[in-house]
Amino acid sequence: MNCVDDFRLRLAGRELVPIVIGGMGVDISTAELALEAARLGGIGHISDAMVPTVSDRRFKTRFVKDKLKLYKYNVANTDKSDVRFDLGHLAEATRLHVGRTMAEKRGDGMVFINCMEKLTMNAPKETLRVRLSAALDAGIDGITLAAGLHLGSFSLIEYHPRFRHAQLGIIVSSLRALQLFLRKNARLDRLPDFVVIEGPLAGGHLGFGMDWAEYDLATIVTEIREWLQAEELNIPLIPAGGIFTGGDATAFLEQGAAAVQVATRFTVARECGLPEDVQQEYFRASEQDIEVNGISPTGYPMRMLKSSPAIGDGIRPNCEAFGYLLDSAGRCGYIEAYNREVAKHPEAKKVAVIDKTCLCTHMRNFECWTCGHYTYRLKDTTRRRGDGGYEILSAQHIFHDYQFSKGDTIALPPDGDSSP
Ligand SMILES: Cc1cc2nc3c(=O)[nH]c(=O)nc-3n(C[C@H](O)[C@H](O)[C@H](O)COP(=O)(O)O)c2cc1C
């Protein structure tokens, strides 16, 4: 019987362990987690979601405070079109986050950054160009374009000196999305170096509608692989979403996948950014505790624990400090939902908003507990502690379980000690 270690991912003339830890914003896939994946010979992702906030937390910068100070006059205003990101600060925050991470990289693997198009930041083109360029400037090994079709993203960086050398890939959830991307970028004569195919069981935002349950990752992978073969295009394919064991991963590799992208298993790693009490919620979750809902203002369905504090909270929109989801006209679905509730209950000190959430604030504070479909199986990957909680695992333990375990087996951490 094969295991993941019998395969290698060939990328940029190198041979890597074919395990990619997916990007998890906001700073859930920390630099520490990504660096472990690289040290172990695979690929880890940091995320550029809300990077000024992440920089403030990691490097004691003051980007958020300064922005809030500048726009304080607008806090009670329902019109957020004034709120702009300082592009210089955005570049500086990205360079700090990426630069410091890359400086610490050890081992034969790579570190990529996950860039979500849906973070429109009140100036979609300009802010995305700065984020992509600054990440390349700071030496990131590769960029994974996420949460959006990214039809114009390659052209934003086509004159960057690293455009043809850095590893650039995209996440799609359908053949159609990939076809659109390739057609729109044909003039650049630059194919993506890899394509992550994310199925309906993934964590975070889903590239499907609320009918996500009607789709199946293996079918989409086959469809894309056969089309690429017919077009004589050779692009490494990386399935993602619900790949929970080494055996699951091996099955995709045996069918021709170049690597797998995984995330949920690593939400309970010591190196992951989630606070430990939230990690215990992930461990405790049962299948019934997980839902796909429409509360994200991005318009994409999102999978999360039903007990997420973000659900039903009615805080005032926090766009002067954050504002990452404002569209080019300064609108966000949460602002509309919040204003509607305030108008309905003018006397209320605090309103409840059920249909949308202030995603920036809640992701920033680890209060939106997004997770993959199989989160309810995390409890089977560790041991119970004497106090009833679950042992937090090392990223190395989880990585090696994917790399070496066969079939349905999941390796438990050594008894009484979750260290590698
Ligand atoms: C907590 C969490 C946060 C995530 N955040 C992002 C994100 O910011 N951007 C993104 O492209 N994908 C995000 N994802 C999706 C993962 O990168 C990955 O593709 C997917 O979850 C893989 O499926 P699995 O979790 O079943 O292994 C997130 C997943 C999780 C579990």
Side-chain angles (χ1 to χ4, degrees), residues 144-304:
T144 302
L145 302 171
L149 290 172
H150 284 282
L151 301 181
S153 298
F154 269 17
S155 62
L156 293 176
I157 46 171
E158 64 177 303
Y159 299 113
H160 194 283
R162 298 191 62 221
F163 177 61
R164 294 191 186 269
H165 312 296
Q167 299 301 296
L168 304 180
I170 179 161
I171 302 184
V172 299
S173 293
S174 68
L175 171 59
R176 203 179 120 66
L178 178 61
Q179 287 170 330
L180 263 176
F181 180 83
L182 294 178
R183 199 177 315 138
K184 284 282 175 188
N185 288 291
R187 76 162 182 89
L188 293 172
D189 190 27
R190 201 251 184 257
L191 288 174
D193 298 294
F194 60 95
V195 172
V196 176
I197 306 172
E198 200 178 70
L201 303 184
H205 291 100
L206 303 183
F208 301 86
M210 289 306 281
D211 59 350
W212 58 271
E214 290 170 24
Y215 295 86
D216 158 65
L217 175 61
T219 309
I220 305 168
V221 174
T222 306
E223 207 183 6
I224 291 182
R225 192 185 54 232
E226 287 176 354
W227 182 77
L228 287 175
Q229 267 163 5
E231 295 291 312
E232 296 183 3
L233 293 172
N234 187 16
I235 308 174
L237 299 181
I238 307 179
I243 300 171
F244 199 77
T245 64
D248 296 341
T250 306
F252 278 106
L253 297 171
E254 284 172 341
Q255 284 155 31
V260 293
Q261 174 164 296
V262 290
T264 294
R265 289 279 308 274
F266 289 92
T267 58
V268 290
R270 217 176 291 139
E271 293 83 350
C272 163
L274 289 175
E276 190 185 328
D277 56 336
V278 179
Q279 292 179 309
Q280 294 296 335
E281 299 278 350
Y282 279 49
F283 273 130
R284 274 196 293 270
S286 68
E287 192 170 356
Q288 290 70 38
D289 295 333
I290 300 163
E291 69 177 10
V292 175
N293 61 37
I295 69 165
S296 167
T298 60
Y300 290 122
M302 199 174 180
R303 178 173 281 111
M304 65 187 73

Side-chain angles (χ1 to χ4, degrees), residues 79 258 268 300 318 349 353 407:
D79 179 354
V268 290
Y300 290 122
N318 215 354
K349 274 219 167 92
V353 183

Side-chain angles (χ1 to χ4, degrees), residues 326-375:
L326 293 173
D327 69 12
S328 55
R331 284 180 309 234
C332 165
Y334 180 68
I335 303 174
E336 282 158 34
Y338 175 81
N339 290 342
R340 185 197 63 222
E341 290 307 316
V342 170
K344 264 201 229 162
H345 308 282
E347 307 301 325
K349 274 219 167 92
K350 194 168 179 205
V351 293
V353 183
I354 302 297
D355 52 325
K356 289 285 173 253
T357 193
C358 185
L359 197 64
C360 293
T361 307
H362 289 302
M363 285 302 296
R364 153 69 177 73
N365 295 333
F366 302 115
E367 290 162 343
C368 177
W369 297 337
T370 183
C371 62
H373 175 79
Y374 287 126
T375 299

